[in-house]
Amino acid sequence: MTTELLKINKDSLKKAAELIKQGQIVAFPTETVYGLGADVFNENAVKSIFVAKGRPDDNPLIVHVAKKEDIKKVAREIPLSAQLLIDKFMPGPITIVLPKRKEIPDCVTGNMDTVGIRIPEHIGAREFIEACGCPIPAPSANSSGKPSPTSAMHVFDDLEGKIPLILDGGDCDKGVESTVISLCTKTPLLLRPGVITYEMLTDVLGKVDIHPSVLNDGLVDKAASPGMKYKHYSPKARVIIVDAPVDTACRFYDFALKNNKKPIIIWKEEELENVLNRKCISLYKNSDTLIAAKNLFNILRQVDKDGFDTVFITSVPTSDAGLSVMNRMLRASAFTVIDKNTDENKLKTILQLN
Ligand code: AMP
Ligand code: MG
């Protein structure tokens, strides 16, 4: 199959909607990351999303709708807590998990009785959903396990030959996937942090629990969110989080280089001058973790393209958007965090030099 890459406009939107109506799948831009959509009522089309991505079929898809009135076509009930979030944050980079209507096929939700629902803020995304005339289940438009795509080229790199069309809306504004919050539990439960932050959620809802897997390793119970148990966001390079000043990262870098690795340091812009002639990229500056969120996946893809095999990346504070950045970095690194006390033996094991 040839994969067309078209700028998003009236003509390409029409073509995309026709493809969806014929049971095909189409990649489209949103403000978070690119999505890969199908007609929610066409089970074969939904299944071909999982095939194109290589996604395990118990990992539920988020169902996208264009306007607030359409939420009740997907959800069986809308509790007050959900209504508060809808009023405050939708359209926007947030997914609310609610009881599912029986009309929504089980293959969309990994056989669960709940469904994640989102209204993108991106105008092109909403025009696409509107033109299709049905809710659009869509995961991120990457190969399963890879960093999520924040540009049309990222989608092309992963899915060329596997999907007929990518709508190109330029670079994604937010860069990390939507916040996912379940309102099916007694206390609202944050399943995946995003740029609608924990602090913003508690302002509206009062108490919100954070699922333990957000910052911790280990198997997640199936009921909460199956998707969270899978390896995620990993480039080919070995990612290592450094929770220490930049001179410690330089010491690890030099050790890796001496052992024939191709390392790179990803750090705060303000401290990069201390890296001297070592290879490095800026993750963010002015303590603005929204910038780190926007850059992270693009940088992880770029290091692979540039042939680096070892990434020393700074930890970030876990307040505000920083929580979403640490959540993604921890998964990209398979929860590998080192600090100034990490000795050479431990580093050797991490770099597989033994
Ligand atoms: P992705 O589409 O790749 O951004 O992944 C969507 C993620 O949203 C899944 O991996 C889950 O973590 C979460 N999600 C979607 N639907 C549900 C649901 N019904 N219950 C819990 N989590 C969900
Ligand atoms: Mg994804």
Side-chain angles (χ1 to χ4, degrees), residues 264-306:
I264 186 161
I265 292 175
I266 301 175
W267 216 261
K268 288 173 219 143
E269 194 155 315
E270 290 85 351
E271 293 175 13
L272 283 183
E273 61 190 55
N274 303 322
V275 168
L276 303 177
N277 59 353
R278 297 172 183 89
K279 303 279 184 201
C280 61
I281 306 181
S282 160
L283 179 63
Y284 70 122
K285 59 180 177 182
N286 303 330
S287 304
D288 185 351
T289 44
L290 278 173
I291 300 177
K294 181 163 177 165
N295 287 339
L296 179 67
F297 289 141
N298 186 40
I299 291 175
L300 292 182
R301 282 178 176 264
Q302 196 58 45
V303 297
D304 275 352
K305 280 208 159 142
D306 294 344

Side-chain angles (χ1 to χ4, degrees), residues 28 69 118 134 144 146 214:
F28 62 100
E69 303 86 271
R118 167 160 137 75
C134 58
S144 199
K146 287 271 195 73
V214 165

Side-chain angles (χ1 to χ4, degrees), residues 72-76 99-105 113 115:
K72 58 180 184 300
K73 295 181 187 161
V74 181
R76 197 163 71 228
K100 167 179 105 61
R101 269 192 184 282
K102 65 175 184 327
E103 293 81 2
I104 304 299
D113 190 37
V115 58

Side-chain angles (χ1 to χ4, degrees), residues 33 53 55 59 139-142 145-146 148-149 177 192 232-233:
V33 302
K53 279 184 59 96
R55 182 177 174 106
N59 190 352
S140 50
N142 53 306
K146 287 271 195 73
S148 295
E177 307 86 342
R192 178 173 75 184
H232 253 102
Y233 317 123

Side-chain angles (χ1 to χ4, degrees), residues 53 55 59-62 95 97 109 112 114-116 138-140 177 180 191-192 223-228 232:
K53 279 184 59 96
R55 182 177 174 106
N59 190 352
L61 307 180
I62 291 169
T95 297
V97 175
T109 59
M112 290 190 298
T114 58
V115 58
S140 50
E177 307 86 342
V180 179
L191 296 173
R192 178 173 75 184
S225 188
M228 296 156 80
H232 253 102

Side-chain angles (χ1 to χ4, degrees), residues 121-163:
E121 197 175 343
H122 193 287
I123 305 273
R126 275 187 279 149
E127 284 174 347
F128 166 65
I129 301 162
E130 198 85 76
C132 295
C134 58
I136 299 288
S140 50
N142 53 306
S143 296
S144 199
K146 287 271 195 73
S148 295
T150 59
S151 74
M153 252 349 260
H154 294 166
V155 181
F156 193 80
D157 288 343
D158 279 15
L159 300 180
E160 194 212 342
K162 296 182 173 169
I163 61 174

